[in-house]
Amino acid sequence: MNLAKSICESVCSGFSVKEVPMGFAIKSPFDWFLGDPLTFYARFEKGRARFEDSGTLVADLEAMGVDFSSSSRRAILDNLLAEHNVVFDEEDWMFVTHW
């Protein structure tokens, strides 16, 4: 077995997918810093799809002391999101990909 295949099997086997009304809930094998598995969603609408979080990630980070009101921290967050083609929907407080 080659290394790439071994890594892929180890990581991929840790994901679980459950169908929910808005699309799919995807539980990753990675723990969020609060100890729960990092879970995100695949939303389907009008033949399009995007990934989004539960809407609690920003609140979790702020509860741990991250202050996004400072312009320097918000700039870091915005740069990180742009680098990964993710946007922060400030109305719903969710990180989402483009459709």
Side-chain angles (χ1 to χ4, degrees):
M1 176 180 292
N2 70 35
L3 180 59
K5 185 176 179 179
S6 178
I7 291 170
C8 183
E9 286 177 2
S10 296
V11 172
C12 293
S13 68
F15 281 90
S16 64
V17 178
K18 179 181 178 183
E19 193 165 359
V20 295
M22 51 80 74
F24 295 91
I26 304 160
K27 184 171 76 171
S28 79
F30 308 106
D31 288 339
W32 185 232
F33 62 87
L34 297 174
D36 295 325
L38 184 60
T39 302
F40 57 98
Y41 300 88
R43 177 182 295 274
F44 292 89
E45 182 179 290
K46 299 178 185 175
R48 306 175 303 169
R50 74 176 187 187
F51 291 118
E52 56 188 49
D53 77 319
S54 63
T56 64
L57 294 181
V58 170
D60 289 348
L61 291 168
E62 288 180 339
M64 296 299 291
V66 177
D67 179 9
F68 289 115
S69 66
S70 94
S71 60
S72 61
R73 288 203 180 172
R74 185 56 194 251
I76 292 168
L77 175 63
D78 290 342
N79 288 336
L80 182 64
L81 295 175
E83 186 176 317
H84 296 282
N85 295 315
V86 174
V87 295
F88 179 59
D89 180 337
E90 295 196 34
E91 185 175 312
D92 292 327
W93 275 51
M94 292 190 318
F95 294 108
V96 300
T97 62
H98 298 282
W99 289 103

